[in-house]
């Protein structure tokens, strides 16, 4: 009997928008429906993911191009790893919920010049799976910043200030405009309670099932 392919759902948003909170809820919700779920994230927790995190941390600053290539390598490994790869999970009927994916590379590294290059590397790669749905949690940068400051003490280079978050949000807008005819993208208002945001996510999931 042919195994039905799992659903591949990505949660995106600027730092502090509520991605990991909603990804946790979504993974648990799908499990409660009796589905098998692999909850994962990018950068990954592998060696490559660790190198990328070092590049973000500020001690060894990298150019956008270097970061784009490093995130790409991490993403390729994330897809093709024989034991824990996204492809293998989907083909064996397991849903994959991923906190950030190539939309982040387009928004954070695809600044001006390299945008086409970053888009091509990710979207034309024969080994990078296309998600069934990308959920973007949209939230005002001021609220993101408030949430980040109340919950964390460590700041990465992209979390430095509200202006930067606002710029990233604007770039995500451009990315989704660019992808609108070829990808399934749901933009969800994150400025509500955790439960209210999740209700909208559930509605998007229902459309896929
Ligand atoms: P991200 O993964 O996008 O950085 P998190 O899910 O870690 O965001 O959320 C950032 C902080 O905001 C956490 O302290 C979290 O508990 C809180 N938070 C998440 N969603 C909401 C919400 N809808 N309303 C209020 N606080 C929230
Ligand atoms: P992380 O610690 O996972 O933060 P968050 O909870 O906000 O997701 O840090 C991930 C950082 O990596 C985040 O600032 C965005 C950045 N990033 C890129 O710049 N490009 C990418 O392709 C990905 C996946 C992440």
């Amino acid at each position: 009997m042919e195994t039905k392919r799992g659903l591949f759902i990505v949660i995106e948003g600027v730092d502090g928008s509520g991605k990991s909170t909603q990804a946790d809820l979504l993974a648990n919700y799908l499990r409660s429906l009796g589905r098998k779920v692999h909850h994962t994230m990018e950068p990954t927790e592998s060696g490559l993911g660790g190198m990328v995190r070092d590049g973000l941390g500020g001690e060894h600053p990298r150019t956008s191009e270097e970061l784009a290539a490093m995130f790409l390598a991490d993403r390729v490994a994330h897809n093709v790893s024989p034991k824990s790869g996204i492809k293998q999970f989907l083909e064996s009927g397991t849903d994959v919920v991923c906190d950030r994916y190539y939309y982040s590379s387009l928004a954070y590294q695809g600044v001006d010049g390299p945008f086409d290059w970053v888009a091509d590397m990710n979207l034309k790669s024969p080994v990078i799976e296309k998600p069934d749905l990308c959920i973007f949690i949209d939230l005002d940068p001021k609220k993101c910043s408030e949430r980040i400051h109340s919950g964390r003490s460590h700041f990465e280079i992209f979390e430095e200030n509200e202006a930067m978050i606002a710029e990233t949000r604007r770039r995500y807008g451009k990315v989704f405009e660019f992808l609108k005819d070829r990808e399934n993208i749901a933009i969800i208002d994150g400025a509500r309670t955790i439960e209210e945001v999740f209700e909208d996510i559930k509605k998007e999931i229902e459309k896929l099932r």
Side-chain angles (χ1 to χ4, degrees):
M1 201 178 77
E2 206 180 298
T3 313
K4 198 163 177 250
R5 189 181 146 93
L7 292 173
F8 182 16
I9 299 153
V10 168
I11 311 268
E12 286 276 357
V14 298
D15 296 313
S17 57
K19 291 181 301 301
S20 33
T21 303
Q22 296 297 333
D24 274 346
L25 286 172
L26 177 57
N28 287 333
Y29 171 68
L30 291 168
R31 286 189 191 106
S32 78
L33 300 175
R35 303 178 68 95
K36 282 182 285 174
V37 180
H38 176 62
H39 182 183
T40 183
M41 71 189 69
E42 291 192 1
T44 68
E45 284 165 342
S46 71
L48 276 170
M51 277 174 57
V52 183
R53 282 181 201 280
D54 282 350
L56 292 172
E59 255 183 58
H60 308 286
R62 303 281 186 178
T63 63
S64 288
E65 288 83 354
E66 284 176 294
L67 285 173
M70 290 164 79
F71 276 113
L72 184 83
D74 188 38
R75 184 162 303 123
V76 167
H78 197 194
N79 272 270
V80 302
S81 160
K83 282 200 180 138
S84 57
I86 291 171
K87 187 175 164 59
Q88 177 265 328
F89 278 110
L90 294 174
E91 283 173 0
S92 68
T94 299
D95 296 336
V96 174
V97 174
C98 188
D99 189 336
R100 294 191 182 278
Y101 198 54
Y102 53 58
Y103 313 91
S104 284
S105 284
L106 270 63
Y108 288 81
Q109 280 74 51
V111 187
D112 306 322
F115 184 87
D116 289 348
W117 176 64
V118 177
D120 280 357
M121 284 199 299
N122 281 279
L123 305 174
K124 293 187 181 165
S125 161
V127 293
I128 294 179
E129 297 284 332
K130 178 173 156 179
D132 297 297
L133 172 66
C134 167
I135 293 165
F136 178 72
I137 304 176
D138 191 31
L139 184 62
D140 175 69
K142 193 170 162 49
K143 289 212 177 71
C144 292
S145 185
E146 280 164 16
R147 287 187 192 172
I148 293 167
H149 286 81
S150 68
R152 297 182 204 172
S153 55
H154 172 77
F155 298 98
E156 286 180 327
I157 53 174
F158 299 118
E159 291 179 346
E160 272 165 9
N161 56 44
E162 260 172 62
M164 233 156 159
I165 298 176
E167 174 58 17
T168 307
R169 186 192 195 198
R170 191 187 65 79
R171 286 199 221 135
Y172 266 116
K174 286 177 78 176
V175 169
F176 295 135
E177 182 59 28
F178 174 75
L179 294 173
K180 69 174 191 290
D181 295 332
R182 49 175 138 158
E183 298 238 0
N184 186 19
I185 293 158
I187 298 179
I188 287 184
D189 176 12
R192 294 168 297 155
T193 65
I194 291 174
E195 294 73 23
E196 284 167 339
V197 174
F198 188 60
E199 277 307 308
D200 276 9
I201 292 182
K202 274 204 293 203
K203 284 183 199 144
E204 292 300 327
I205 301 302
E206 286 314 310
K207 294 183 198 163
L208 297 177
R209 296 175 63 230

